[in-house]
């Protein structure tokens, strides 16, 4: 019998590079001094944004007296969520910007050392303050509450700026998690899996989550951080349907702000992929929920986004419900580890490009470690020792060991305020798997089509394959390295 020469194939798990994230200069597309967005809380002397708490902006009156409260539109008691609105004060003007509802932690303490987490929930299209596309409570999208032309109805039950319908989906679930938590602190090791120990914010847009409304959400979050003891490293965003579009709009404008994002049937990705901006959110852990029966978005549409996010280096958890259409949020919020997963994400944690903290032994690429971009100073350590000249948000780890990093969050005094050190990240050397091959066909007999050649195929899917014959690379024989299979020319006549 003729013998088959010895063939081997080597493979190594490699990842795509991460693109740069936006930084804390608050610039989205820098064609003006402050880019095409502006989320400053004060633009000049005499101008500022502020919160008017315990007051809902509306035109509703009761016996000609403004009600100043939300219009009940939920089927459950939403009163544990306090009400408020964000305003813009400019010289003599005092302008309405956005209503919101806020659930505060039980036994809230302004002195708690690490502060409380905050989750921001963006509602769907129908739960707006005025218009959903062309269907409006009053006039049309051009209606401005600050000019009130044409005059808005003042009936006490008018739904314009209701500030309650925004809670209709997920509001009760978060309230129940709040109640399960009781007075437990955020880092209580005995926290039940269905408990949530922090703040919950439900803003309400006027006419949808367009770019200006999304920017207002960022301003609102920044004002709440100033007002309450919120841990800036544990801020999460949760988008529902059209609110998923809004959440992506927020993320690409301020990715440095968030520790994680959760999407329930997100309508679209706010053009992150088509604008080649998937890398802007690559450092934010994502949990995406999709119904297989959903027509908008379809499963294929969502999975295309996920592939693009992962290609950009993001860590994406994906849950597909085969039996559900668009309404994924009820089952998603009932997932046993929904809240524990979210609370386990921290902005100061090191993001590893592609999620694999191991170094490939057959390449010298190393592993790219990433902290949020845009802060003035960074520090990195390896095995407890400072890494010299590692002063940016990225570090290429080429040695195994225990890594950690931190960044300067605020500048004041001689030291400023640094983030906590990230948790220890153990970078290991990847154990090279033994390459396996399987033979397709034979070198001794022709197949049914009369073809005498045979092929060897690597077992398993990997980005690259390197083929050798008798210890010599087949690349020198004109066979590309990157093919999963290789054709062996028959020795039959």
């Amino acid at each position: 019998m003729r013998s088959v020469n010895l063939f081997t194939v080597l493979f190594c798990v490699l990842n795509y590079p991460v693109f740069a994230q936006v930084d804390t200069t608050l610039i989205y597309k820098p064609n003006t001094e402050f880019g095409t967005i502006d989320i400053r809380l004060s633009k000049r002397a005499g101008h500022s944004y502020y919160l008017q708490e315990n007051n809902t902006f509306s035109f509703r009156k009761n016996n000609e007296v403004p009600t100043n409260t939300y219009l009940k539109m939920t089927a459950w008691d939403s009163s544990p969520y306090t009400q408020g609105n964000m305003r813009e004060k400019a010289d003599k003007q005092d302008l309405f910007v956005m209503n919101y509802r806020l659930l505060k932690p039980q036994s809230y303490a302004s002195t708690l050392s690490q502060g409380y987490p905050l989750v921001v929930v963006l509602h769907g299209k129908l739960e707006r303050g005025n218009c959903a596309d062309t269907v409006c409570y009053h006039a049309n999208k051009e209606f401005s509450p600050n000019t009130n032309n044409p005059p808005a109805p003042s009936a006490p039950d008018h739904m314009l700026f209701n500030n309650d319908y925004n809670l209709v989906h997920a509001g009760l679930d978060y309230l129940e998690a709040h109640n399960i938590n009781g007075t437990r602190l955020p880092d209580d090791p005995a926290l039940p899996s269905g408990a949530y120990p922090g703040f919950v914010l439900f803003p309400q847009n006027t006419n949808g989550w367009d770019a200006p409304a999304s920017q207002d959400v960022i301003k609102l979050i920044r004002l709440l951080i100033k007002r309450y003891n919120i841990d800036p490293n544990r801020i999460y965003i949760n988008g529902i349907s059209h609110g998923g579009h809004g959440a992506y709009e927020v993320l690409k404008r301020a990715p440095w702000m968030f520790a994680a994002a959760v999407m329930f049937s997100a309508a679209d990705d706010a053009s992150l992929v088509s604008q080649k901006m998937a890398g802007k959110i690559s450092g934010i852990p994502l949990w995406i929920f999709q119904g297989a029966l959903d027509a908008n978005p379809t499963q294929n549409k969502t999975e295309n986004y996920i592939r693009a996010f992962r290609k950009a280096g993001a860590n994406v958890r994906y849950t597909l419900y085969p039996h559900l259409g668009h309404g994924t949020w009820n089952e998603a919020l009932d997932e046993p580890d929904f809240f524990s997963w979210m609370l386990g994400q921290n902005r100061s944690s090191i993001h590893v490009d592609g999620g694999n903290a191991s170094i490939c032994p057959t390449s010298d690429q190393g592993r790219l470690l990433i902290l949020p971009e845009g802060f003035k100073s960074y520090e990195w350590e390896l095995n407890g020792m400072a890494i010299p000249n590692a002063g940016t948000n990225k570090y290429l780890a080429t040695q195994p060991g225990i890594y950690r990093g931190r960044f300067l969050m605020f500048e004041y005094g001689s030291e400023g305020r640094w983030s906590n050190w990230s948790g220890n990240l153990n970078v290991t050397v990847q154990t090279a798997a033994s390459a396996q091959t399987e033979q397709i066909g034979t070198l001794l007999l022709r197949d049914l089509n009369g073809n005498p050649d045979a092929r060897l195929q690597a077992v398993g899917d990997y980005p690259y394959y390197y083929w050798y014959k008798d210890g010599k690379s087949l690349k020198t024989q004109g066979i590309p390295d990157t093919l999963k299979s290789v054709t062996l020319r028959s020795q039959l006549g």
Side-chain angles (χ1 to χ4, degrees):
M1 294 182 62
R2 294 185 178 96
S3 62
V4 178
N5 290 321
L6 177 63
F7 284 79
T8 58
V9 58
L10 300 177
F11 49 78
C12 196
V13 181
L14 301 176
N15 294 97
Y16 293 90
V18 166
F19 300 103
Q21 296 168 315
V22 76
D23 66 21
T24 50
T25 56
L26 316 182
I27 294 174
Y28 171 41
K29 290 183 178 179
N31 56 7
T32 65
E33 180 185 1
F34 288 94
T36 58
I37 69 166
D38 192 345
I39 57 173
R40 290 173 294 169
L41 299 182
S42 180
K43 300 174 184 177
R44 55 180 171 77
H47 177 278
S48 63
Y49 290 89
Y50 72 97
L51 302 178
Q52 187 178 57
E53 297 189 281
N54 304 311
N55 187 306
T56 289
F57 172 85
S58 78
F59 295 94
R60 291 184 294 276
K61 294 182 180 180
N62 194 348
N63 294 325
E64 298 305 311
V65 177
T67 62
N68 293 329
T69 191
Y70 61 89
L71 175 68
K72 181 171 175 55
M73 295 185 68
T74 56
W76 45 276
D77 180 13
S78 67
S79 62
Y81 286 87
T82 62
Q83 59 187 322
N85 72 95
M86 183 172 71
R87 306 188 67 81
E88 180 179 6
K89 194 166 187 178
D91 301 322
K92 295 182 179 180
Q93 292 184 305
D94 193 348
L95 308 173
F96 165 73
V97 177
M98 175 177 285
N99 280 324
Y100 67 88
R101 301 291 291 277
L102 182 67
L103 185 64
K104 302 174 184 176
Q106 298 187 47
S107 299
Y108 165 76
S110 60
T111 55
L112 184 67
S113 59
Q114 291 303 317
Y116 295 84
L118 165 68
V119 59
V120 183
V121 187
L122 302 190
H123 60 76
K125 183 175 288 186
L126 297 180
E127 294 80 57
R128 78 293 185 188
N130 189 19
C131 295
D133 294 328
T134 59
V135 180
C136 304
Y137 295 133
H138 174 63
N140 54 42
K141 287 186 177 182
E142 301 305 315
F143 170 74
S144 168
N146 293 305
T147 58
N148 193 23
N149 184 26
S154 60
D157 59 350
H158 200 274
M159 292 187 290
L160 179 65
F161 301 117
N162 56 79
N163 202 19
D164 196 53
Y165 206 30
N166 36 327
L167 297 171
V168 71
H169 297 306
L172 180 58
D173 300 89
Y174 278 103
L175 178 59
E176 289 173 344
H178 162 92
N179 292 337
I180 290 171
N181 181 77
T183 59
R184 296 179 181 89
L185 297 178
D187 294 319
D188 188 335
L191 205 67
S193 62
Y196 178 72
F199 288 85
V200 185
L201 171 66
F202 277 81
Q204 186 177 52
N205 66 47
T206 299
N207 301 314
W209 293 116
D210 56 11
S214 302
Q215 291 160 201
D216 289 336
V217 169
I218 300 170
K219 295 187 188 86
L220 178 54
I221 296 170
R222 298 183 69 207
L223 287 169
L224 287 171
I225 293 172
K226 289 178 175 289
R227 172 69 176 84
Y228 292 102
N229 184 15
I230 291 171
D231 183 352
N233 288 323
R234 298 176 77 182
I235 299 175
Y236 315 102
I237 192 163
N238 180 192
I240 303 173
S241 187
H242 175 62
H245 164 90
Y248 283 125
E249 286 280 8
V250 171
L251 287 175
K252 71 184 181 183
R253 286 164 167 78
W256 42 267
M257 182 179 280
F258 297 95
V262 180
M263 304 296 178
F264 300 152
S265 309
D268 57 63
D269 71 331
S271 300
L272 274 164
V273 174
S274 64
Q275 294 176 359
K276 302 186 185 304
M277 295 172 60
K280 285 196 174 294
I281 65 167
S282 62
I284 302 171
L286 301 171
W287 192 352
I288 296 175
F289 294 86
Q290 171 71 31
L293 306 180
D294 197 350
N296 186 25
T298 62
Q299 178 181 341
N300 184 61
K301 182 179 180 180
T302 294
E303 290 176 357
N304 282 338
Y305 297 146
I306 292 172
R307 278 189 287 271
F309 295 155
R310 286 174 173 166
K311 183 177 179 180
N315 298 335
V316 184
R317 182 174 178 179
Y318 177 45
T319 299
L320 177 69
Y321 295 119
H323 60 291
L324 290 183
H326 194 59
T328 58
W329 38 90
N330 291 327
E331 291 202 23
L333 286 156
D334 284 338
E335 291 287 343
D337 63 338
F338 179 84
F339 290 100
S340 58
W341 178 88
M342 185 167 63
L343 292 167
Q345 312 305 319
N346 193 296
R347 183 182 64 166
S348 66
S349 297
I350 297 173
H351 171 72
V352 183
D353 181 15
N356 184 359
S358 58
I359 300 169
C360 183
T362 59
S363 77
D364 57 359
Q365 284 191 311
R367 281 293 168 186
L368 188 62
L369 312 183
I370 307 172
L371 290 170
E373 186 175 355
F375 297 96
K376 186 172 182 179
S377 299
Y378 296 83
E379 293 180 349
W380 293 89
E381 288 186 351
L382 171 58
N383 297 327
M385 302 294 292
I387 301 175
N389 303 316
T392 68
N393 74 304
K394 297 179 182 179
Y395 183 76
L396 185 64
T398 57
Q399 303 177 52
I402 305 298
Y403 288 83
R404 68 175 189 167
R406 66 176 184 169
F407 49 91
L408 185 64
M409 293 194 296
F410 306 109
E411 287 187 89
Y412 50 76
S414 59
E415 294 294 328
R417 180 182 171 188
W418 286 84
S419 69
N420 294 330
W421 282 102
S422 66
N424 290 337
L425 178 68
N426 186 16
V427 176
T428 61
V429 175
Q430 188 179 90
T431 301
S434 298
Q436 300 180 43
T437 61
E438 56 187 6
Q439 183 173 323
I440 304 172
T442 176
L443 296 181
L444 302 179
L445 299 174
R446 298 178 186 273
D447 63 19
L448 295 177
N449 296 315
N451 183 2
D453 296 335
R455 286 188 302 137
L456 289 180
Q457 179 171 279
V459 177
D461 293 320
Y462 298 91
Y464 300 99
Y465 302 86
Y466 302 94
W467 290 93
Y468 295 82
K469 177 183 178 181
D470 297 332
K472 296 181 179 179
S473 171
L474 287 183
K475 191 172 184 180
T476 61
Q477 302 178 32
I479 298 177
D481 282 344
T482 57
L483 297 179
K484 184 176 182 178
S485 61
V486 63
T487 299
L488 307 178
R489 297 304 174 188
S490 173
Q491 299 178 33
L492 293 176

